[in-house]
Amino acid sequence: MVASLVAAALMAADSDLVALVPERLARYFAARLEVAWFAVPTELPAVIIHQQWHGRLDHDPAHRWLRGHVREASV
């Protein structure tokens, strides 16, 4: 078990280990390192991601912009 998906992918790339990472990350490393990626052969449950912030930031334009970009990136 590692702290991040990137760490898992790098450890797998430098060993005989296997890492379960999102497809975009797998494709990124496969294009840059000597690794192959394969789709998971079964349906996985959806992952629910929650954003949290202090209420005083609800109407802050910069924070709203950032929340929107995080939401778009995680779809």
Side-chain angles (χ1 to χ4, degrees), residues 18-62:
V18 174
L20 183 62
V21 298
E23 183 177 338
R24 288 189 344 192
L25 183 61
R27 287 180 182 271
Y28 176 87
F29 280 115
R32 288 157 181 81
L33 302 172
E34 293 182 23
V35 296
W37 76 273
F38 302 93
V40 177
T42 187
E43 188 71 25
L44 296 175
V47 176
I48 299 172
I49 299 173
H50 297 274
Q51 293 187 60
Q52 297 180 356
W53 57 90
H54 194 282
R56 71 173 178 255
L57 297 172
D58 280 346
H59 302 293
D60 180 87

Side-chain angles (χ1 to χ4, degrees), residues 10-24:
L10 288 172
M11 288 177 68
D14 200 29
S15 68
D16 61 349
L17 299 173
V18 174
L20 183 62
V21 298
E23 183 177 338
R24 288 189 344 192

